[in-house]
Amino acid sequence: AKAQARRSGQPLRIPTLIAARPPALEGYDRRIAIHECGHAIVATLLRAEPVRRMQLSRDGGSTSRGSAIHEGTPLEFEHELTVIMGGRAAERLALASISAGAGGSVESDLAQASALQLQFDREFGLGVNGNAWIGPPDLKQLSSEDRNRLRVKLDQFERRARALLVPHRDLLEMLAAHLVEHRELQEADLRPWLSGLQPVDLAETDLNGGPSE
């Protein structure tokens, strides 16, 4: 991996290390499956449907799903952020640890959640700045107050996702094992697993979160 990074003139990053690793071990596949199934279960509970596809590959996993944001209300943004943090929450719940899988590139869960929370506060007129349009942030120039608020909010959404997953831990484990076995599940394959989940509303559920503002 180091030699590859030197040849390409790029710094050594997590995706480079993952790409250079030997064939996936069972524990790695299970962790990725737990992560993706966390997204799928939380998405179903918070109406970010349908869950169209889940896949495991040598490079990681992916979940294709609908968005929880339909009318652009604050609650819908909170739902979407909770779904995004659902993968990391599932790892922490089922494996008692987290991995770097939620981070890395600008397409990663943490990057998406950070960008969405900052838009919520700065551009959509829904968060801490009220009606003020502050504009897109320069992430390298965020104030310590903004960085701390972002950390607190994403931690909050991870806790909410975990609270949603706790009653469905058996489903999480069984669906993850099924994904490890089959490597790819389409919407029709997932329907029998997810159709029994009853949607919830974070506004009506005490999940140790609190309001966005």
Side-chain angles (χ1 to χ4, degrees), residues 18 21-37 55-61 91 95 173 175-183:
I18 291 175
R21 74 181 190 278
L25 300 175
E26 181 179 350
Y28 174 82
D29 277 351
R30 179 169 180 260
R31 179 178 291 276
I32 299 303
I34 288 285
H35 183 107
E36 299 305 331
C37 291
Q55 181 183 32
L56 294 185
S57 71
R58 186 174 181 275
D59 298 324
E91 288 188 53
L95 303 172
E173 297 273 8
L175 181 55
H178 190 66
L179 179 57
V180 168
E181 179 181 358
H182 294 277
R183 312 300 295 177

Side-chain angles (χ1 to χ4, degrees), residues 105-182:
S105 73
V106 294
E107 289 84 24
S108 69
D109 293 343
L110 296 183
Q112 290 182 45
S114 297
L116 187 59
Q117 178 62 44
L118 288 168
Q119 284 183 301
F120 183 92
D121 281 335
R122 300 171 63 96
E123 299 178 59
F124 296 153
L126 299 173
V128 68
N129 294 304
N131 288 331
W133 188 87
I134 309 300
D138 180 344
L139 294 179
K140 295 180 181 179
Q141 300 297 323
L142 283 182
S143 68
S144 58
E145 180 181 355
D146 285 339
R147 287 196 301 271
N148 185 61
R149 174 174 168 77
L150 181 59
R151 176 187 59 78
V152 168
K153 295 303 296 184
L154 298 194
D155 288 351
Q156 170 186 306
F157 292 122
E158 185 192 330
R159 290 195 303 272
R160 286 181 169 184
R162 185 184 188 280
L164 288 171
L165 288 167
V166 166
H168 306 290
R169 181 166 179 174
D170 288 347
L171 172 62
L172 175 67
E173 297 273 8
M174 290 187 292
L175 181 55
H178 190 66
L179 179 57
V180 168
E181 179 181 358
H182 294 277

Side-chain angles (χ1 to χ4, degrees), residues 35-125:
H35 183 107
E36 299 305 331
C37 291
H39 285 308
I41 292 171
V42 178
T44 303
L45 291 170
L46 296 181
R47 301 179 180 86
E49 302 173 287
V51 181
R52 303 183 186 92
R53 180 172 175 261
M54 289 197 300
Q55 181 183 32
L56 294 185
S57 71
R58 186 174 181 275
D59 298 324
S62 63
T63 298
S64 174
R65 61 171 177 86
S67 173
I69 302 171
H70 306 289
E71 299 178 18
T73 64
L75 182 59
E76 289 177 346
F77 279 94
E78 293 193 5
H79 284 185
E80 180 68 16
L81 284 156
T82 303
V83 175
I84 295 172
M85 297 304 295
R88 174 162 280 205
E91 288 188 53
R92 202 184 297 272
L93 173 64
L95 303 172
S97 65
I98 54 175
S99 70
S105 73
V106 294
E107 289 84 24
S108 69
D109 293 343
L110 296 183
Q112 290 182 45
S114 297
L116 187 59
Q117 178 62 44
L118 288 168
Q119 284 183 301
F120 183 92
D121 281 335
R122 300 171 63 96
E123 299 178 59
F124 296 153

Side-chain angles (χ1 to χ4, degrees), residues 40-41 43-45 49-51 168 171 175 186-199:
I41 292 171
T44 303
L45 291 170
E49 302 173 287
V51 181
H168 306 290
L171 172 62
L175 181 55
Q186 300 291 338
E187 184 175 347
D189 304 316
L190 291 164
R191 193 172 296 118
W193 294 88
L194 302 176
S195 60
L197 295 172
Q198 296 299 313

